[in-house]
Short mmCIF file of all heavy atoms in Angstrom, two decimals:
data_model
loop_
_atom_site.label_atom_id
_atom_site.label_comp_id
_atom_site.label_asym_id
_atom_site.label_seq_id
_atom_site.Cartn_x
_atom_site.Cartn_y
_atom_site.Cartn_z
N HIS P 128 -51.26 -6.86 -56.36
CA HIS P 128 -52.23 -7.08 -55.28
C HIS P 128 -51.50 -7.37 -53.98
O HIS P 128 -50.46 -8.04 -53.97
CB HIS P 128 -53.16 -8.26 -55.61
CG HIS P 128 -54.15 -7.94 -56.69
ND1 HIS P 128 -54.97 -8.88 -57.25
CD2 HIS P 128 -54.43 -6.76 -57.31
CE1 HIS P 128 -55.72 -8.30 -58.18
NE2 HIS P 128 -55.42 -7.02 -58.24
N LEU P 129 -52.08 -6.88 -52.89
CA LEU P 129 -51.48 -6.98 -51.56
C LEU P 129 -52.58 -7.35 -50.58
O LEU P 129 -53.70 -6.85 -50.72
CB LEU P 129 -50.88 -5.61 -51.19
CG LEU P 129 -50.42 -5.36 -49.76
CD1 LEU P 129 -49.16 -6.15 -49.46
CD2 LEU P 129 -50.16 -3.86 -49.54
N VAL P 130 -52.28 -8.20 -49.61
CA VAL P 130 -53.25 -8.44 -48.53
C VAL P 130 -52.63 -8.01 -47.20
O VAL P 130 -51.45 -8.29 -46.92
CB VAL P 130 -53.69 -9.92 -48.46
CG1 VAL P 130 -54.55 -10.29 -49.65
CG2 VAL P 130 -52.51 -10.87 -48.34
N VAL P 131 -53.45 -7.32 -46.40
CA VAL P 131 -53.02 -6.87 -45.07
C VAL P 131 -54.21 -6.93 -44.13
O VAL P 131 -55.36 -6.91 -44.56
CB VAL P 131 -52.48 -5.42 -45.09
CG1 VAL P 131 -51.14 -5.33 -45.78
CG2 VAL P 131 -53.49 -4.46 -45.70
N PRO P 132 -53.94 -7.00 -42.81
CA PRO P 132 -55.04 -6.91 -41.85
C PRO P 132 -55.84 -5.63 -42.08
O PRO P 132 -55.26 -4.59 -42.45
CB PRO P 132 -54.33 -6.90 -40.49
CG PRO P 132 -53.01 -7.56 -40.74
CD PRO P 132 -52.63 -7.18 -42.13
N ALA P 133 -57.13 -5.70 -41.84
CA ALA P 133 -58.01 -4.54 -42.11
C ALA P 133 -57.51 -3.28 -41.42
O ALA P 133 -57.57 -2.18 -41.99
CB ALA P 133 -59.44 -4.87 -41.67
N ARG P 134 -56.98 -3.43 -40.20
CA ARG P 134 -56.58 -2.22 -39.47
C ARG P 134 -55.32 -1.57 -40.04
O ARG P 134 -54.96 -0.46 -39.63
CB ARG P 134 -56.43 -2.49 -37.97
CG ARG P 134 -55.17 -3.17 -37.54
CD ARG P 134 -55.14 -3.40 -36.03
NE ARG P 134 -55.09 -2.17 -35.24
CZ ARG P 134 -53.96 -1.51 -34.98
NH1 ARG P 134 -52.80 -1.91 -35.46
NH2 ARG P 134 -53.97 -0.42 -34.23
N ASN P 135 -54.65 -2.26 -40.96
CA ASN P 135 -53.46 -1.66 -41.57
C ASN P 135 -53.79 -0.74 -42.74
O ASN P 135 -52.87 -0.24 -43.40
CB ASN P 135 -52.49 -2.76 -42.01
CG ASN P 135 -51.75 -3.36 -40.83
OD1 ASN P 135 -52.35 -4.05 -40.01
ND2 ASN P 135 -50.46 -3.07 -40.69
N LEU P 136 -55.06 -0.53 -43.01
CA LEU P 136 -55.44 0.41 -44.08
C LEU P 136 -55.94 1.71 -43.46
O LEU P 136 -56.76 1.71 -42.54
CB LEU P 136 -56.54 -0.21 -44.95
CG LEU P 136 -56.14 -1.48 -45.70
CD1 LEU P 136 -57.28 -1.92 -46.61
CD2 LEU P 136 -54.86 -1.27 -46.50
N LEU P 137 -55.43 2.82 -43.99
CA LEU P 137 -55.90 4.14 -43.56
C LEU P 137 -56.39 4.88 -44.79
O LEU P 137 -55.86 4.69 -45.89
CB LEU P 137 -54.77 4.94 -42.91
CG LEU P 137 -54.28 4.42 -41.56
CD1 LEU P 137 -53.09 3.51 -41.72
CD2 LEU P 137 -53.95 5.59 -40.64
N PRO P 138 -57.41 5.73 -44.62
CA PRO P 138 -57.89 6.51 -45.78
C PRO P 138 -56.79 7.43 -46.30
O PRO P 138 -56.09 8.09 -45.52
CB PRO P 138 -59.05 7.32 -45.19
CG PRO P 138 -59.42 6.66 -43.91
CD PRO P 138 -58.17 6.02 -43.39
N LYS P 139 -56.65 7.47 -47.60
CA LYS P 139 -55.67 8.37 -48.20
C LYS P 139 -56.26 9.78 -48.28
O LYS P 139 -57.36 9.95 -48.79
CB LYS P 139 -55.30 7.90 -49.61
CG LYS P 139 -54.25 8.78 -50.28
CD LYS P 139 -53.96 8.35 -51.71
CE LYS P 139 -55.03 8.81 -52.68
NZ LYS P 139 -55.18 10.27 -52.79
N PRO P 140 -55.57 10.78 -47.78
CA PRO P 140 -56.10 12.15 -47.91
C PRO P 140 -56.11 12.56 -49.39
O PRO P 140 -55.21 12.21 -50.15
CB PRO P 140 -55.08 13.01 -47.14
CG PRO P 140 -54.25 12.06 -46.35
CD PRO P 140 -54.30 10.75 -47.05
N ASP P 141 -57.14 13.31 -49.77
CA ASP P 141 -57.21 13.79 -51.16
C ASP P 141 -56.02 14.66 -51.52
O ASP P 141 -55.63 14.73 -52.68
CB ASP P 141 -58.50 14.60 -51.35
CG ASP P 141 -59.75 13.73 -51.24
OD1 ASP P 141 -59.62 12.50 -51.42
OD2 ASP P 141 -60.83 14.28 -50.96
N ALA P 142 -55.45 15.33 -50.50
CA ALA P 142 -54.38 16.28 -50.78
C ALA P 142 -53.12 15.61 -51.33
O ALA P 142 -52.26 16.27 -51.91
CB ALA P 142 -54.04 17.06 -49.51
N LEU P 143 -53.00 14.30 -51.12
CA LEU P 143 -51.81 13.59 -51.58
C LEU P 143 -52.20 12.62 -52.69
O LEU P 143 -53.19 11.89 -52.56
CB LEU P 143 -51.21 12.78 -50.42
CG LEU P 143 -50.71 13.58 -49.21
CD1 LEU P 143 -50.49 12.65 -48.02
CD2 LEU P 143 -49.41 14.32 -49.55
N ASP P 144 -51.42 12.62 -53.77
CA ASP P 144 -51.69 11.61 -54.80
C ASP P 144 -51.08 10.28 -54.38
O ASP P 144 -50.43 10.17 -53.33
CB ASP P 144 -51.21 12.10 -56.18
CG ASP P 144 -49.71 12.25 -56.28
OD1 ASP P 144 -48.97 11.55 -55.54
OD2 ASP P 144 -49.25 13.06 -57.11
N ASP P 145 -51.28 9.24 -55.20
CA ASP P 145 -50.82 7.90 -54.79
C ASP P 145 -49.31 7.85 -54.60
O ASP P 145 -48.81 7.22 -53.66
CB ASP P 145 -51.25 6.87 -55.85
CG ASP P 145 -52.74 6.62 -55.85
OD1 ASP P 145 -53.32 6.51 -54.74
OD2 ASP P 145 -53.34 6.56 -56.94
N VAL P 146 -48.60 8.49 -55.51
CA VAL P 146 -47.13 8.44 -55.42
C VAL P 146 -46.66 9.12 -54.13
O VAL P 146 -45.81 8.60 -53.42
CB VAL P 146 -46.51 9.11 -56.67
CG1 VAL P 146 -45.02 9.38 -56.47
CG2 VAL P 146 -46.74 8.23 -57.90
N GLU P 147 -47.25 10.26 -53.83
CA GLU P 147 -46.87 10.96 -52.59
C GLU P 147 -47.26 10.14 -51.37
O GLU P 147 -46.47 9.98 -50.43
CB GLU P 147 -47.56 12.33 -52.55
CG GLU P 147 -47.00 13.30 -53.60
CD GLU P 147 -47.88 14.52 -53.83
OE1 GLU P 147 -49.07 14.51 -53.46
OE2 GLU P 147 -47.36 15.51 -54.37
#
Side-chain angles (χ1 to χ4, degrees):
Chain P
H128 288 172
L129 169 71
V130 290
V131 289
R134 78 181 294 277
N135 284 69
L136 298 185
L137 292 94
K139 182 183 78 62
D141 292 339
L143 298 165
D144 66 27
D145 289 317
V146 167
E147 290 165 342

